[in-house]
Amino acid sequence: MRLRALLDTASLGLSLLGGEDELERAVRGVMTTDLRDPSRYLSGGELVLTGLAWRREPGDSERFVRILAAEGVAGLAAGEAELGSVPEDLVRACARHRLPLFSVTEAVSFASLTEYVVRQVSAERAGDLAAVVDRHRRLMTSGPAGGGPDAVLDLLGSDLDLRAWVLSPTGRRIAGSTLTDQGPELPEGIGARLAGAHLAASREGRRGPYRVTLDGTAYALFPVRQEGREARETLLSDWLLAVEADIADWPAERLDLLQGVTQLIAVERERRDAARTVRRRLAQEVLELVQTGAAPTEIAARLRLAVPVLLPGPSAAPRWQIVVAQVERDGDEGPGGPAAQALLEEVLAAPGASGPEPSERIAVAHTGDEAVALVPLPPTADGDGEGLHATALLSAVGEPLGRGLADDGRLTIGVSAPVHSAEGLRGALEEARHARRVAAARPGRVCTAGHEELASHVLLLPFVPDDVRRAFTARLLDPLRDYDRRHRAELIPTLEAFLDCDGSWTRCAARLHLHVNTLRYRVGRIEQLTGRDLSRLEDKLDFFLALRMS
């Protein structure tokens, strides 16, 4: 806005005392100060408001105005409340430095003047930014020259002072402002909580943007919708734009601007989805070869084609892991494989990841209700090393996806052990499927299981009828639970620790920080209440299974 516009607004109570030729100066902000030297707080273009408390003698006016002019402020407005009228020495100093000078009547507060200027400047900046965003959208639609979502979020930060991030449905950071002066990144764990709030609100059918407050900070969540697809179809795979702001009093123009930003981000989402086509096709071909019993040499040849795509860089034979997932939604018709495929691509990118790169190294196919991921593991110095762990996947995605699934759906995931060659892929696929069945037998909306849990007795658990399980565990463990509830004796934790320590009295006592005699008393009470003998292998196994099934 221009200085002349302020002078033309009668309600602001401004009178021009000098600088009529400079009224076309642009005002980019406002600052109130009574410091003798406010230069450290000025960046240029401000309307400076002052009550003149800095003026002790006439010579102070020249010093003060010289500082303002050097910093490039737009104009100076002096209040009449302190001295009754603006001193002539200040009028002359402003004339010498060609700085427009206004007086502010005592009836008008600096707060109301500041609010008016900020509101006008913000609206104008939003309009300018909208034009930039529209231009950026056209660039991104025709190719990558637009700079991607990070560039748009930089615009939000520099022009509207808004911190914003693009998050995945698990809270993984897809994009964010690259400006170093925009403050720290999202605190750890906030991304997953924002994603969970977004999924819960979307599932309830609420209209975005959604307002949420976490740890005293207000956020606005704008869904990034994929055109041509229903919200229910993409609920668990939609991105969101998270803005650190309270939008309760935002004008419609600013909300429309942010909706335009989400449309721009959706263009980038479509581009990245298209880039997954090749990887999906590779996974589909490998899966079909494995399931039809093709020769290992044929599977190995197909894997050699996949390596440069999934692991760019020096060629080397990687190890492979198989991950299987299913999404079950109550009332849904048709196969759930495509939904599981999109979700599994995100899940496997989530643990400790930032940006799109991790998901670009994963190939996911689907068949029927099942999604199958082919995950390459870079070779290590010793040829082995860590792979994906089911517990890590669950900790990364369980909370937000659980809120999205709520009471009418489940996600179950099984993870195989790493294999070193094509010959091991069929066994890895069956191992991952078995692990997923173990996960499906557990309570909860998001459940995972890994190869390390597939001991023979555990493999049997998913196939035991629910009523048999309940009767077995109740008969064995209910007496202990009742006793713990009445006496706070911690018999159940003691039993778990005793079994984990393979019946070692000294190790178990050390783990529980108990004297051995106290441990012996508790174990004796367990045996008395259940009629079992924890020195017998059969009774130990029964207790172990009961604890696992509970």
Side-chain angles (χ1 to χ4, degrees), residues 229 232-234 236-237 280 284 324-345 364-372 405 409-412 436:
R229 302 180 67 181
R232 180 170 173 81
E233 179 186 355
T234 63
L236 294 174
S237 59
R280 287 177 169 180
Q284 202 75 41
V324 172
Q326 279 193 13
V327 175
E328 305 166 10
R329 299 295 295 267
D330 294 349
D332 274 3
E333 296 180 0
Q341 180 184 46
L343 190 54
L344 188 54
E345 286 168 333
V364 184
H366 71 82
T367 174
D369 288 329
E370 181 182 71
V372 179
L405 290 161
R410 299 191 73 211
L411 169 67
T412 53
R436 194 207 63 78

Side-chain angles (χ1 to χ4, degrees), residues 32-62:
T32 300
T33 183
D34 276 313
L35 295 174
R36 295 170 68 86
D37 180 2
S39 57
R40 76 184 83 174
Y41 304 110
L42 296 170
S43 57
E46 296 92 350
L47 173 66
V48 175
L49 309 179
T50 179
L52 302 176
W54 47 265
R55 183 182 177 276
R56 311 276 176 77
E57 56 185 18
D60 292 340
S61 293
E62 171 64 24

Side-chain angles (χ1 to χ4, degrees), residues 99-222:
L99 182 66
L101 174 64
F102 304 87
S103 65
V104 184
T105 180
E106 187 176 352
V108 176
S109 70
F110 281 176
S112 61
L113 184 56
T114 298
E115 182 182 356
Y116 178 85
V117 173
V118 169
R119 187 166 60 247
Q120 295 300 314
V121 170
S122 178
E124 291 181 2
R125 288 164 70 188
D128 294 340
L129 182 58
V132 174
V133 168
D134 184 65
R135 186 163 62 251
H136 200 84
R137 183 189 300 114
R138 291 196 297 272
L139 285 171
M140 286 187 67
T141 303
S142 60
D150 288 328
V152 184
L153 301 186
D154 281 347
L155 290 174
L156 292 178
S158 61
D159 283 31
L160 293 183
D161 299 323
L162 292 176
R163 299 177 68 210
W165 303 266
V166 179
L167 303 177
S168 77
T170 63
R172 180 172 62 93
R173 180 187 180 278
I174 302 292
S177 173
T178 61
L179 300 178
T180 57
D181 60 352
Q182 287 299 304
E185 271 294 343
L186 274 173
E188 185 177 356
I190 291 294
R193 292 169 65 188
L194 290 174
H198 163 253
L199 287 172
S202 297
R203 185 185 166 279
E204 293 167 2
R206 290 162 50 193
R207 185 180 180 86
Y210 317 119
R211 295 167 58 199
V212 61
T213 300
L214 298 180
D215 299 338
T217 301
Y219 298 91
L221 309 180
F222 293 80

